[in-house]
Amino acid sequence: MTTSTFFRYSINSLRKMVRLRSVSQQLSKTENQTVTDLFELAAEPQFEIKKDKEFDQLMEVSESDPKVRDLIKRYGADRKIMRKMYDQLVLHGAGRFARGYWVAAASLAFPETLDALFRHFNGDIFLLRGHSEHNSGLKVAYRMFTYFSDQESSAIEDI
């Protein structure tokens, strides 16, 4: 790797990290509303538009990485499937921060975590062999949380 390639890669990684953290802050605010607030907000059409806009920003950050784009293409996923994965992660406990990353969002933005998610997602829910649907979702969400809290950077072999 030449010096210029290294610096270009480093700058792009830094840009991605800054954009991801910004989007994470916005997504976390939406997800962390109280139940009462959600019922009130859900009645307003602007709530869904705002949430969709924030998710679209997350997808722009994710798709800016060529490796993530390749994974999405290889698994034949679209934004609807990516949104289902995100919602399942939040539902099962990955809607929290670890080392500055909103885990549910960051899991879709890095190729190592996204590949593991795709391998265990059936289009609607996460399924792990020998586990119930609910426990599968919990285990996947917890693994994503530990990945970021432990600052791992390699591929995830097992969940």
Side-chain angles (χ1 to χ4, degrees):
M1 178 181 290
T2 66
T3 304
S4 64
T5 304
F6 173 77
F7 284 118
R8 193 170 340 124
Y9 178 78
S10 298
I11 289 170
N12 287 340
S13 293
L14 184 59
R15 252 188 226 133
K16 178 180 175 179
M17 183 183 71
V18 168
R19 287 178 63 206
L20 179 59
R21 288 187 181 197
S22 173
V23 169
S24 291
Q25 290 293 326
Q26 295 168 9
L27 284 166
S28 71
K29 287 178 188 173
T30 303
E31 299 297 345
N32 284 329
Q33 298 288 328
T34 64
V35 173
T36 306
D37 289 345
L38 283 177
F39 284 122
E40 291 172 8
L41 289 171
E44 297 177 26
Q46 296 299 326
F47 175 70
E48 282 303 317
I49 292 169
K50 183 178 182 207
K51 192 172 178 180
D52 289 342
K53 179 183 169 204
E54 292 163 350
F55 184 78
D56 286 343
Q57 290 173 344
L58 168 62
M59 291 312 302
E60 288 172 14
V61 171
S62 297
E63 292 170 344
S64 70
D65 184 330
K67 291 179 181 178
V68 170
R69 256 193 332 265
D70 290 345
L71 276 172
I72 291 169
K73 184 186 264 185
R74 181 172 9 132
Y75 283 98
D78 57 14
R79 286 191 178 196
K80 184 177 178 182
I81 289 182
M82 300 291 284
R83 180 58 180 263
K84 284 182 182 180
M85 274 199 288
Y86 173 81
D87 289 340
Q88 285 291 306
L89 286 168
V90 170
L91 176 70
H92 287 95
R96 58 187 56 217
F97 281 96
R99 303 275 181 174
Y101 289 109
W102 181 252
V103 175
S107 298
L108 302 181
F110 292 98
E112 298 81 9
T113 51
L114 185 58
D115 186 49
L117 293 176
F118 277 133
R119 286 191 319 244
H120 300 291
F121 193 70
N122 76 352
D124 288 314
I125 58 172
F126 293 107
L127 284 176
L128 298 174
R129 186 173 303 197
H131 295 280
S132 68
E133 292 176 13
H134 181 69
N135 284 344
S136 293
L138 290 173
K139 285 185 73 80
V140 169
Y142 180 73
R143 182 62 182 101
M144 294 300 115
F145 179 78
T146 59
Y147 184 88
F148 289 102
S149 63
D150 294 346
Q151 295 182 308
E152 295 180 45
S153 60
S154 60
I156 297 174
E157 298 301 323
D158 283 330
I159 292 184

